């Protein structure tokens, strides 16, 4: 899905690997891949039930906070948004 470190929040912390914000590409791409997998499983006779995944290590955002590219409040907002998605 991405190579390198990805940012959870806004584009300022994105170094080219993408970000998980609503304006970033990673969330939408992951949904497209998930939906294709669920469709493929359904087509073979399975009844998949996706419950969810949340994995946010935060190293890249922590570095962005340490270098004043984003704030801790930006990170909190981005995390809440990611959980909501």
């Amino acid at each position: 899905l991405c190579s390198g470190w990805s940012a959870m929040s806004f584009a300022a912390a994105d170094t080219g690997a993408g970000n998980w914000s609503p304006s970033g590409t990673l969330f939408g791409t992951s949904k497209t891949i998930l939906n294709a997998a669920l469709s493929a499983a359904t087509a073979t006779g399975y009844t998949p039930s996706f419950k969810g995944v949340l994995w946010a290590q935060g190293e890249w955002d922590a570095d962005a906070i340490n270098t004043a590219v984003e704030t801790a409040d930006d990170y909190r907002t981005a995390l809440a948004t990611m959980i909501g998605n």
Side-chain angles (χ1 to χ4, degrees):
L1 186 57
C2 69
S3 61
W5 291 5
S6 60
M8 184 176 354
S9 59
F10 55 87
D14 182 352
T15 62
N19 70 77
W20 293 93
S21 72
S23 63
T25 59
L26 297 179
F27 182 72
T29 300
S30 68
K31 280 181 57 175
T32 298
I33 293 169
L34 171 65
N35 288 333
L38 293 173
S39 292
T42 300
T44 60
Y46 291 96
T47 306
S49 177
F50 180 73
K51 300 297 182 183
V53 174
L54 177 62
W55 178 4
Q57 288 178 239
E59 292 98 335
W60 200 242
D61 290 284
D63 187 61
I65 291 168
N66 288 338
T67 58
V69 173
E70 70 177 275
T71 67
D73 284 337
D74 293 330
Y75 180 79
R76 271 189 285 279
T77 299
L79 180 59
T81 300
M82 181 183 191
I83 292 167
N85 284 338

